[in-house]
């Protein structure tokens, strides 16, 4: 791939060396380089760090419509380093799904346990180690790199955490989806230290320049009685040192998409099936993560997953067969692949390709699943629930070998769409299934519930734990009146 064609992200990385003399050279990079590369800035406050008071004052001058238009334009401007999705599924090119996932993964770190909130997007710690290398966050460095263009345009008029959450909301709105309101006022963190309660024991070692892991088993774990003993385990909610554990391992903080594998003696196991992932057991994991760890109701859970998996698609991996990364394509040791001056690499860019094209475009490591959930993944639609109910789904392997599902009827109008086991969990649990049926029958109700849940998702954080805190404190909000 020609260097010139790789666009904006690469330009930033290439020129980073020449910007090192600036006070804080990396502020508009979507990913801040490893601690060891920050030299004397390590552990210090950047002179450019937001002055909270100043930021909130100047937010009053923010041209929100202009920001919305800049993001909408960027959303359709496909770059070679990660071509926008759509065309491969017969739709228009769009980064809508990518931006929505970015905002969700940034905000979805929120854990509410015993009434106390930890995490959330405020702080934008996803730009820093360790979150930038969490296995769940693969490929989101590309999204942040894209948004760097808007960050550069608006500079300190907009914090990264406001930008990331607003970009996700804009992606939904500009694709024809529901968004009722958005409020600004989030302040960025200078490092990833506050991610530690989510489970990164190795962080102290990382400071000493040793490798530390961002994807490993948690100390206290269990398997479901019907689950295969070789399958991934589920982490208990609390762990040593009062750490709130991610659901499956450090770095995989949401729900295991493939779902639990049934053991051969379990009811429902079918020898001849391509895989024996259990949507029923997966529902237990979805509830454990969304309700017990994140504090969502069942209704909010269904609305969020359905709205999340309406736009965008899953992405297979580059081919790692025969390489030392074949069994662990994610960057589970680090800081190692983080963007370093002159390395031309982002944090999730380590495993495929060489030199300037490493980790970009077809050399990207992503989830390993393949396909969209909907027939029009760039435009808001109702396929997620409609197809889930209308079709029978059969187990299938993605080209990368991941366990997923496709329509049994290969002539179906939905034949090009896919489902994860975690998606199908929503029709394999009585409470979830009743809500799925309601949403399939009443799309307006789904839109409204999704918009409310999304608002709550992107507005709550450790710093502002109630969904209306930002509005109450700063009052810089939009109802998107300018969108025709
Ligand atoms: C059970 C919970 C969930 C699981 C297991 C899950 C899993 C996944 C996986 C495996 C991908 C593919 C990533 C890739 O290959 O690029 C993905 C993509 C995506 N997810 Fe989820 N997800 C969940 C919930 C959500 C929620 C709650 C939202 C938003 C509210 C969301 C929004 C998205 C979006 C927009 C994409 C498409 C990304 C793109 O087009 O690049 N997901 N999800």
């Amino acid at each position: 791939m020609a260097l010139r064609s790789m666009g904006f992200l690469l330009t930033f990385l290439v020129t980073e060396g020449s910007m090192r003399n600036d006070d804080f050279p990396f502020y508009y990079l979507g990913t801040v380089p490893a601690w060891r590369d920050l030299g004397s800035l390590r552990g210090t406050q950047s002179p450019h760090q937001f002055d909270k008071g100043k930021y909130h004052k100047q937010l009053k001058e923010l041209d929100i419509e202009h920001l919305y238009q800049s993001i909408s334009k960027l959303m359709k401007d496909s770059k070679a380093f990660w071509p926008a999705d759509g065309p491969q599924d017969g739709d228009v090119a769009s980064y809508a799904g990518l931006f929505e996932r970015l905002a969700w993964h940034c905000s979805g770190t929120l854990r509410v346990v015993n009434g106390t909130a930890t995490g959330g997007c405020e702080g934008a710690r996803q730009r820093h180690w360790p979150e930038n290398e969490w296995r769940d966050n693969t490929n989101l460095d590309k999204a942040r790199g894209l948004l760097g263009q808007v960050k550069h345009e608006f500079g300190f008029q907009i914090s990264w955490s406001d930008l990331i959450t607003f970009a996700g909301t804009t992606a939904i709105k500009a694709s024809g989806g529901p968004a009722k309101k958005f409020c600004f006022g989030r302040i960025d963190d200078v490092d990833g230290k506050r991610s530690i309660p989510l489970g990164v024991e190795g962080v102290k070692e990382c400071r000493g320049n040793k490798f530390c892991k961002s994807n490993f088993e948690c100390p206290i774990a269990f398997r479901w009685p019907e689950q295969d003993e070789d399958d991934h385990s589920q982490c208990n909610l609390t762990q040593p040192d009062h750490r709130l554990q991610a659901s499956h391992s450090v770095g995989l903080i949401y729900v295991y998409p493939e779902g639990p594998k049934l053991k051969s003696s379990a009811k429902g196991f079918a020898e001849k099936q391509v895989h024996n992932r259990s949507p029923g057991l997966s529902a237990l994991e979805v509830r454990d993560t969304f309700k017990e760890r994140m504090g969502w109701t069942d209704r909010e859970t269904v609305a969020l997953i359905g709205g999340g998996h309406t736009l965008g698609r899953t992405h297979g991996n580059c081919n790692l067969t025969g390489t030392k990364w074949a069994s662990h394509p994610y960057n589970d040791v680090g800081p190692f692949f983080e963007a370093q001056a002159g390395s031309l690499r982002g944090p999730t860019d380590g495993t495929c390709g060489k030199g300037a094209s490493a980790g970009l475009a077809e050399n990207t490591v992503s989830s390993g699943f393949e396909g969209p959930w909907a027939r029009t993944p760039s435009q808001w639609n109702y396929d997620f629930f409609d197809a889930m109910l209308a079709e029978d789904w059969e187990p299938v392997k993605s080209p990368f070998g991941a366990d997923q599902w496709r329509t049994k009827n290969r002539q179906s109008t939905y034949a090009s769409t896919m489902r994860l086991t975690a998606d199908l969990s929503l029709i394999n649990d009585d409470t979830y299934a009743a809500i799925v049926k309601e949403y399939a029958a009443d799309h307006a109700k789904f839109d409204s519930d999704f918009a409310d849940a999304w608002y709550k998702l992107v507005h709550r954080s450790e710093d502002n734990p109630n969904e209306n805190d930002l509005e109450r404190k700063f009052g810089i909000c939009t109802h998107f009146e300018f969108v025709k």
Side-chain angles (χ1 to χ4, degrees):
M1 187 187 301
L3 207 108
R4 212 174 349 161
S5 67
M6 277 188 247
F8 192 76
L9 173 69
L10 214 50
T11 312
F12 266 170
L13 293 175
V14 170
T15 54
E16 185 193 298
S18 61
M19 297 186 300
R20 289 205 127 215
N21 290 335
D22 288 352
D23 286 338
F24 192 61
F26 316 112
Y27 86 90
Y28 59 81
L29 281 177
T31 291
V32 183
W35 256 322
R36 63 172 180 266
D37 293 331
L38 287 173
S40 60
L41 289 169
R42 196 187 307 170
T44 63
Q45 297 277 305
S46 153
H48 279 314
Q49 204 210 351
F50 283 124
D51 172 324
K52 279 190 195 182
K54 203 168 154 196
Y55 180 57
H56 291 133
K57 214 186 238 172
Q58 75 189 30
L59 263 182
K60 295 195 178 107
E61 310 299 317
L62 178 68
D63 185 341
I64 298 173
E65 181 173 359
H66 182 185
L67 182 64
Y68 178 91
Q69 298 304 350
S70 293
I71 295 169
S72 307
K73 197 167 150 217
L74 178 72
M75 221 171 82
K76 296 178 200 126
D77 185 10
S78 186
K79 306 279 190 206
F81 66 80
W82 181 249
D85 289 321
Q88 72 271 52
D89 299 314
D91 205 347
V92 295
S94 170
Y95 288 117
L98 186 66
F99 289 172
E100 186 187 356
R101 176 168 165 253
L102 176 73
W104 144 239
H105 279 223
C106 187
S107 311
T109 55
L110 188 82
R111 296 288 175 276
V112 186
V113 176
N114 297 331
T116 304
T118 304
C121 194
E122 177 152 14
R125 288 176 293 278
Q126 202 195 72
R127 298 166 303 136
H128 302 284
W129 164 265
E131 280 186 43
N132 62 3
E133 283 199 8
W134 281 355
R135 169 179 168 180
D136 247 335
N137 289 338
T138 51
N139 207 28
L140 290 175
D141 54 334
K142 309 276 198 317
R144 295 190 302 269
L146 285 160
L147 282 179
Q149 191 168 321
V150 178
K151 179 69 177 136
H152 192 50
E153 185 185 349
F154 284 81
F156 285 97
Q157 270 206 297
I158 185 89
S159 66
W160 268 106
S161 23
D162 274 345
L163 179 59
I164 289 172
T165 44
F166 189 66
T169 311
T170 298
I172 294 165
K173 188 78 186 166
S175 307
K180 292 180 182 172
K181 185 167 64 174
F182 184 91
C183 300
F184 295 85
R186 298 161 190 77
I187 299 290
D188 294 339
D189 283 7
V190 288
D191 57 33
K193 283 186 203 136
R194 287 204 294 163
S195 302
I196 292 170
L198 290 173
V200 187
E201 297 99 319
V203 122
K204 283 194 191 102
E205 288 175 58
C206 296
R207 280 198 191 149
N209 266 353
K210 289 183 195 156
F211 291 167
C212 50
K213 290 186 167 192
S214 58
N215 180 34
F216 55 91
E217 298 294 309
C218 50
I220 310 179
F222 68 95
R223 286 188 181 78
W224 309 103
E226 304 89 337
Q227 193 177 358
D228 189 304
E229 274 145 31
D230 293 331
D231 198 21
H232 70 262
S233 55
Q234 167 91 0
C235 299
N236 289 45
L237 180 62
T238 49
Q239 297 285 323
D241 302 329
H242 308 289
R243 195 157 44 73
L244 295 179
Q245 184 58 56
S247 54
H248 290 91
S249 57
V250 174
L252 190 57
I253 66 155
Y254 303 108
V255 177
Y256 198 70
E258 281 188 312
K261 195 194 284 182
L262 286 179
K263 59 170 137 183
S264 55
S265 58
K267 196 175 163 211
F269 181 89
E271 185 76 48
K272 289 202 175 128
Q273 242 171 227
V274 176
H275 64 74
N276 271 279
R277 300 288 174 179
S278 165
L281 291 183
S282 181
L284 301 178
E285 299 192 341
V286 170
R287 187 166 285 111
D288 170 82
T289 294
F290 278 76
K291 196 171 202 163
E292 306 304 331
R293 298 169 200 251
M294 301 168 82
W296 295 105
T297 64
D298 285 344
R299 178 171 285 275
E300 287 168 332
T301 302
V302 175
L304 278 175
I305 297 173
H309 294 172
T310 287
L311 296 174
R313 75 192 316 275
T314 60
H315 303 89
N317 277 330
C318 48
N319 190 358
L320 292 161
T321 316
T323 73
K324 64 177 180 172
W325 302 108
S327 62
H328 57 118
Y330 313 96
N331 296 332
D332 56 0
V333 279
F336 189 62
F337 293 119
E338 290 185 24
Q340 298 171 33
S343 76
L344 304 178
R345 291 180 166 204
T348 59
D349 289 353
T351 39
C352 273
K354 287 195 169 62
S357 64
L360 303 178
E362 70 278 6
N363 288 327
T364 295
V365 170
S366 196
S367 68
F369 299 98
E370 184 58 45
W373 292 273
R375 292 164 300 174
T376 58
S378 303
Q379 295 154 59
W380 194 253
N381 64 79
Y382 302 99
D383 280 5
F384 183 82
F385 296 122
D386 292 358
M388 209 135 80
L389 291 175
E391 299 294 325
D392 287 328
W393 297 85
E394 64 179 13
V396 68
K397 292 266 180 201
S398 80
F400 190 70
D403 294 339
Q404 58 182 64
W405 303 73
R406 67 176 190 182
T407 60
K408 207 167 186 174
N409 173 5
R410 301 309 300 141
Q411 310 309 319
S412 160
T413 172
Y414 298 116
S416 62
T417 70
M418 60 82 71
R419 291 293 178 273
L420 301 166
T421 308
D423 297 319
L424 293 181
S425 79
L426 301 181
I427 48 169
N428 280 275
D429 171 277
D430 290 347
T431 313
Y432 287 154
I435 304 166
V436 169
K437 283 181 194 148
E438 185 185 334
Y439 287 158
D442 187 348
H443 292 162
K445 176 67 179 155
F446 163 59
D447 279 354
S448 179
D449 283 1
F450 173 71
D452 289 340
W454 179 265
Y455 179 84
K456 201 167 159 185
L457 175 73
V458 297
H459 285 81
R460 290 190 308 164
S461 67
E462 184 175 333
D463 304 307
N464 289 292
N466 303 301
E467 62 183 287
N468 292 326
D469 284 348
L470 290 174
E471 179 172 31
R472 187 175 43 79
K473 288 188 194 167
F474 315 116
I476 316 285
C477 302
T478 177
H479 289 87
F480 301 95
E481 308 81 357
F482 47 82
V483 181
K484 302 284 174 282

